[in-house]
């Protein structure tokens, strides 16, 4: 059987913030219909890599391939247009709005009017679709009409995941989605991740929580000091091997010869 094509692929991405080189030729790939965990120590470059892959900035060097074709994403809208959404750890929702308003934030449904002029928000339809979306992901909330500030952190994060899954046709990035959650809430969000995957979308789970990753990831890729240093196929990873990769004791992806030197040269090219 032919290898499936990656949905999204990062090739040798470089990103500098002043003198800090957050990505030093980082590779990464995600295949359709899988949960791939992106792991690495604090500062390894995980969030930076994900921001590059969801339109947060254009990398200084390297290439991003979508379904095998090079693309340039200049804003998160470009990523959204390709069917990719992101869930952040800091519960990026509007606390004063209810679940439906959050689900449709920036994508409100309108009715009536001429074109979009004199139109009004179609609250009924948005609420109906929200009920449907939550039910589809088996998320239950105490109330749909309360501002989400009244919900628990886990319930709010569930809304964020359902929102991402609702709009992402192909891929959902989740950057440390359970970092702010308790044990039971974490469990609920992990189950949700599996449901998003089972609904046919790929999930990139950024995490440094080993038990979380072990329980839902199909594959694992490890970033260290701005480079992918290890990747583990389905059934090939254990807690020990992942920890070894995160700490640098295990490397499965050695840099191509000369590659590291080339990147260092690039990093220093505009220094006096
Ligand atoms: N906006 C920024 N400005 C300056 N440095 C940054 C910025 N974002 C990230 N960095 C630096 O880049 C490196 C990688 O950060 P990050 O991608 O957040 O790592 P991770 O998510 O793996 O913890 C760190 O050294 C971090 O301090
Ligand atoms: Mg991070």
């Amino acid at each position: 059987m032919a290898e499936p094509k990656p949905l999204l692929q990062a090739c040798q991405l470089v990103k500098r913030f002043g003198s800090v080189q957050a990505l030093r030729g980082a590779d990464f790939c995600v295949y359709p219909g899988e949960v791939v965990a992106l792991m690495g120590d604090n500062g390894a470059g995980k969030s930076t890599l994900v921001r590059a892959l969801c339109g947060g900035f254009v990398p200084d060097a390297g290439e991003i391939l979508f379904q095998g074709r090079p693309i340039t994403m200049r804003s998160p809208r470009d990523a959204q247009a390709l069917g990719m959404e992101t869930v952040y750890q800091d519960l990026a929702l509007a606390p004063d709005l209810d679940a439906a308003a959050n689900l449709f934030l920036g994508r409100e449904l309108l009715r009536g009017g001429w074109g979009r002029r004199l139109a009004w928000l179609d609250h009924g339809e948005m609420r109906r679709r929200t009920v449907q979306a939550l039910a589809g992901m088996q998320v239950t909330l105490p109330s749909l009409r309360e501002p989400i500030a009244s919900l628990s952190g886990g319930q709010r994060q569930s809304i964020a995941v359902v929102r991402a899954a609702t709009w992402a046709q192909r891929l959902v990035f989740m950057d440390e989605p359970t970092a702010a959650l308790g044990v039971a809430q974490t469990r609920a969000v992990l189950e949700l991740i599996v449901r998003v995957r089972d609904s046919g979308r790929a999930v990139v789970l950024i995490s440094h929580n080993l038990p979380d990753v072990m329980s839902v990831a199909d594959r694992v890729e490890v970033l260290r000091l701005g480079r992918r240093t290890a990747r583990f196929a389905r059934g090939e990873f254990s807690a020990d091997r992942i920890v070894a990769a995160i700490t640098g004791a295990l490397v499965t992806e050695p840099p191509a010869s000369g590659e590291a030197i080339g990147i260092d040269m690039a990093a220093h090219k505009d220094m006096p």
Side-chain angles (χ1 to χ4, degrees), residues 17 20 22 40-49 51 175:
F17 296 105
V20 176
D41 215 343
N42 267 331
K46 305 182 295 297
S47 294
T48 304
L49 175 59
R51 274 170 49 221
D175 194 348

Side-chain angles (χ1 to χ4, degrees), residues 177-191:
T178 63
L181 304 183
V183 174
Q185 301 178 337
T186 294
R187 170 83 7 228
V189 169
L190 293 177
E191 284 170 9

Side-chain angles (χ1 to χ4, degrees), residues 24-264:
R24 305 167 175 256
D27 294 320
F28 177 75
C29 71
V30 48
Y31 293 91
E34 71 170 0
V35 178
V36 57
L38 174 58
M39 298 199 76
D41 215 343
N42 267 331
K46 305 182 295 297
S47 294
T48 304
L49 175 59
V50 164
R51 274 170 49 221
L53 292 177
C54 63
F57 59 82
V58 178
D60 299 333
E63 209 171 36
I64 297 172
L65 307 180
F66 183 80
Q67 295 180 331
R69 280 188 294 273
I71 51 163
T72 303
M73 290 180 280
R74 302 196 180 279
S75 80
R77 290 203 171 269
D78 291 343
Q80 287 169 352
L82 295 169
M84 309 193 288
E85 296 284 332
T86 308
V87 177
Y88 297 96
Q89 79 181 62
D90 48 4
L91 310 169
L93 296 172
D96 300 334
L97 301 179
D98 67 16
N102 267 287
L103 211 76
F104 284 89
L105 202 61
R107 288 156 158 146
E108 289 80 2
L109 297 180
L110 301 175
R111 60 185 295 199
W114 298 317
R116 291 176 77 88
R117 291 177 65 185
L118 300 182
W120 60 91
L121 293 176
D122 193 346
H123 288 294
E125 181 62 14
M126 287 193 278
R127 194 160 282 135
R128 198 184 63 73
R129 291 204 202 167
T130 300
V131 169
Q132 218 172 42
L134 292 170
M137 288 288 164
Q138 299 173 37
V139 172
T140 46
L141 299 177
S143 162
L144 270 185
R145 297 193 179 240
E146 295 291 319
I148 61 149
S150 67
L151 302 175
S152 73
Q155 287 164 338
R156 291 203 300 277
Q157 194 59 299
S158 296
I159 293 172
V161 174
V162 170
R163 176 174 71 178
T166 298
W167 301 111
Q169 256 133 59
R170 296 193 174 94
L171 175 59
V172 179
F173 291 100
M174 303 198 196
D175 194 348
E176 308 273 3
T178 63
L181 304 183
V183 174
Q185 301 178 337
T186 294
R187 170 83 7 228
V189 169
L190 293 177
E191 284 170 9
L192 206 45
I193 288 173
V194 170
R195 278 185 218 121
V196 173
R197 192 251 342 254
D198 291 347
S199 72
R201 276 153 280 205
V203 177
V204 177
L205 173 63
I206 296 88
S207 176
H208 55 241
N209 184 308
L210 209 47
D212 281 12
V213 165
M214 297 293 291
S215 71
V216 298
D218 298 309
R219 275 192 325 111
V220 177
E221 302 209 354
V222 177
L223 213 56
R224 184 171 151 74
L225 304 176
R227 279 194 56 248
R228 179 173 67 191
T229 54
R231 53 203 297 210
F232 302 104
R234 199 182 283 264
E236 259 184 25
F237 54 86
S238 63
D240 287 352
R241 280 165 65 79
I242 293 173
V243 170
I246 291 172
T247 59
L250 172 63
V251 172
T252 71
E253 309 283 292
S257 61
E259 177 187 293
I261 295 164
I263 290 157
D264 282 340

